[in-house]
Amino acid sequence: MLRGFYDIHKFHLYWEDRQTDKILYEYLNAWILVALNCNVQDLSIQIEVDENNNYSLETRFPHFLFNSQSLSKLVLKMTLNYESKVILPKSMDLPRLKFMSLGSFFVEDGDSINKLISGCPILESLILRDIWIEDGYEMNVNIESHELKHLEIINNNLPVRSHYNMAKIIKLSAPNLTSFICKDYMLQEYSLENVSSLITADIEIVREGEYEALEYHDLEISEEEKEILYPKRTMEFIKAFHNVKDLTISSPRLLQILAGSPDLIEGRSPQFCNLRSLKLTTWFTSWCLAAVSALLKTCPCIESLYLASAEVKFRADKDDDEVALPMSSIMFHLKHIEIRELKGCDAEIKSLELLLMKAPVLEEMVLSLDKSSSPDIAGSPDRLQVAKKLGEKLRSLSRASPSLAMIFL
């Protein structure tokens, strides 16, 4: 307030003092108004107050904030607390805003989110992280933008309450979108109407009920229905990304289920003819590896394959070891393979052998062992012994590529 009205390019406030939360909310809007009056272009407010406080936080930002003619970048991240409510104005217009990130927002009026997004006509990057809408299952969130190039929707940290979710349906129409990151729950329905320009996609769709954090979620759907709905809905979701060049799927549970329903891959998955890089988080069970094999058959031009081994959270089927690993097609373009968190088990060796035999132009295979195997990660004798044995096994395997280099990390 004492600096005059010279222009401010950037104003960032990060508040973590949990003893003075009320002081923050007494002065917050005054600070924001001063910045706006000085034509601020880059405004970031990040608040981490005590989640165990005994009063509800209700933030009513100045209307001027959502009608600024100068803002090009806006970051508003509230505390991860379902009692932290944000009141948005009825009308919003941000004609110069190109980047917006909203985090841990709880709003009562779901249509206000639609108004905010539609009020940003040249928005290029949008991040929505843990957005809660009261009774959101009764409304849709519409993201329609011709200028949007990057979108992140991450809802995997939400409090487990059936009436706190983002929307019944999230509709996306962004013909110039090139990058999309989505980490959400299966029951969140997406309608991807136009994402034809996508180049990279990072997807993690979690099936409700997998983790303890979700065990109290009040779902009106049986376990049997979820088993059927989860792979179908996820495959329909992935189909929208058939033009991408770089695809990441971080849902090992999906691969396990797809292996038991191969028709979902063979009959519903498109050919990813433009895909050059595929990243998968998987369990190294025969079930998951069979699904990986089936997915690779839909990627005829893949050049790089990355596999990360996830901790198995479910007991494998008793016949798991009997599942075959079919891969009839030759991967003529595959040049780079990287596999993380290897444990040296037989299932991993079998999958590596299969890849080596099917990749005639493979140039490099990078392997790293599971770092949790020893407290002394760098020099553990056990870890070095596992690496030595694994290297001996791999060197004895047949390979289609005469110029392959193996690198151990």
Side-chain angles (χ1 to χ4, degrees):
M1 293 178 182
L2 301 178
R3 65 180 302 281
F5 289 97
Y6 299 102
D7 281 358
I8 296 176
H9 175 72
K10 179 190 298 184
F11 175 53
H12 286 193
L13 172 66
Y14 179 77
W15 191 274
E16 194 181 23
D17 191 341
R18 301 184 177 185
Q19 302 300 319
T20 55
D21 299 341
K22 292 183 179 179
I23 293 178
L24 165 67
Y25 286 97
E26 183 178 350
Y27 291 100
L28 177 60
N29 282 355
W31 298 337
I32 292 175
L33 284 172
V34 169
L36 292 171
N37 284 327
C38 294
N39 300 313
V40 65
Q41 298 176 40
D42 180 347
L43 178 65
S44 175
I45 307 295
Q46 299 189 54
I47 303 170
E48 291 192 11
V49 299
D50 191 353
E51 297 179 13
N52 297 318
N53 60 40
N54 56 7
Y55 60 90
S56 298
L57 298 176
E58 180 174 297
T59 306
R60 194 182 297 269
F61 290 110
H63 289 199
F64 191 22
L65 172 60
F66 299 101
N67 290 277
S68 169
Q69 302 300 299
S70 63
L71 273 179
S72 61
K73 180 177 181 179
L74 176 62
V75 176
L76 297 175
K77 181 181 178 182
M78 311 304 293
T79 178
L80 187 59
N81 184 342
Y82 68 90
E83 297 294 343
S84 183
K85 185 191 305 182
V86 177
I87 307 297
L88 295 175
K90 292 183 179 180
S91 61
M92 289 168 277
D93 180 27
L94 296 161
R96 296 187 180 182
L97 197 69
K98 292 187 176 181
F99 180 99
M100 180 165 65
S101 176
L102 305 178
S104 301
F105 259 47
F106 163 42
V107 296
E108 290 183 336
D109 179 14
D111 194 48
S112 61
I113 296 293
N114 288 331
K115 290 180 180 179
L116 177 56
I117 295 173
S118 63
C120 307
I122 65 169
L123 195 63
E124 295 180 357
S125 183
L126 175 62
I127 300 173
L128 301 174
R129 185 184 294 268
D130 298 328
I131 304 298
W132 321 330
I133 300 174
E134 188 170 16
D135 298 328
Y137 54 82
E138 296 181 349
M139 63 153 301
N140 299 337
V141 166
N142 301 313
I143 303 174
E144 298 182 19
S145 173
H146 287 280
E147 303 298 327
L148 194 64
K149 295 180 176 63
H150 175 75
L151 174 63
E152 293 183 29
I153 300 178
I154 301 176
N155 286 323
N156 54 5
N157 286 322
L158 290 175
V160 184
R161 294 176 183 271
S162 60
H163 60 294
Y164 290 123
N165 57 315
M166 188 164 174
K168 179 180 180 180
I169 301 175
I170 297 177
K171 293 185 177 181
L172 175 60
S173 178
N176 292 309
L177 191 70
T178 58
S179 175
F180 184 30
I181 298 175
C182 182
K183 300 182 185 297
D184 210 338
Y185 297 124
M186 176 267 294
L187 289 184
Q188 175 64 74
E189 186 174 349
Y190 282 82
S191 175
L192 307 181
E193 298 176 357
N194 189 351
V195 290
S196 56
S197 296
L198 266 181
I199 297 175
T200 65
D202 185 346
I203 309 303
E204 182 178 3
I205 305 298
V206 177
R207 176 184 175 275
E208 282 83 351
E210 287 188 9
Y211 305 109
E212 292 182 2
L214 295 172
E215 63 183 357
Y216 299 112
H217 206 299
D218 183 19
L219 302 173
E220 295 181 358
I221 182 172
S222 67
E223 289 297 321
E224 292 75 15
E225 290 174 311
K226 283 191 286 186
E227 285 290 338
I228 297 173
L229 182 60
Y230 176 64
K232 288 184 177 180
R233 180 167 287 183
T234 307
M235 286 308 298
E236 289 296 323
F237 187 70
I238 294 173
K239 281 175 63 177
F241 308 137
H242 63 277
N243 284 330
V244 299
K245 293 183 179 180
D246 188 334
L247 177 61
T248 300
I249 302 177
S250 305
S251 306
R253 176 64 170 167
L254 171 65
L255 294 177
Q256 186 188 48
I257 293 176
L258 289 178
S261 306
D263 57 304
L264 285 172
I265 298 179
E266 298 172 2
R268 301 194 181 204
S269 179
Q271 288 288 312
F272 294 96
C273 296
N274 295 327
L275 193 66
R276 298 297 185 268
S277 175
L278 177 63
K279 302 179 180 69
L280 300 171
T281 299
T282 180
W283 299 318
F284 274 92
T285 64
S286 295
W287 280 103
C288 284
L289 293 171
V292 172
S293 173
L295 280 174
L296 286 174
K297 289 196 292 185
T298 70
C299 313
C301 298
I302 187 170
E303 297 178 356
S304 298
L305 173 65
Y306 302 82
L307 298 177
S309 178
E311 179 184 354
V312 178
K313 295 181 179 293
F314 298 89
R315 185 174 57 84
D317 189 276
K318 63 181 180 180
D319 296 324
D320 181 75
D321 292 335
E322 302 301 322
V323 179
L325 301 177
M327 188 186 290
S328 57
S329 57
I330 303 296
M331 294 174 287
F332 289 103
H333 300 275
L334 187 61
K335 298 179 181 180
H336 177 87
I337 296 176
E338 184 170 334
I339 304 180
R340 298 276 178 172
E341 305 300 324
L342 282 169
K343 297 176 177 59
C345 63
D346 290 341
E348 294 171 344
I349 299 299
K350 289 179 182 179
S351 63
L352 290 173
E353 181 178 20
L354 182 64
L355 290 170
L356 289 173
M357 294 176 62
K358 298 296 182 178
V361 297
L362 189 62
E363 298 174 357
E364 183 179 71
M365 177 178 280
V366 179
L367 305 170
S368 69
L369 294 176
D370 180 10
K371 294 180 181 179
S372 64
S373 61
S374 171
D376 183 9
I377 295 173
S380 165
D382 292 340
R383 186 172 183 271
L384 294 175
Q385 189 68 20
V386 171
K388 182 179 178 180
K389 290 183 178 180
L390 181 59
E392 293 174 352
K393 289 181 181 179
L394 292 177
R395 281 189 286 272
S396 67
L397 298 178
S398 301
R399 62 187 70 179
S401 173
S403 57
L404 172 64
M406 288 190 181
I407 300 173
F408 287 87
L409 300 179

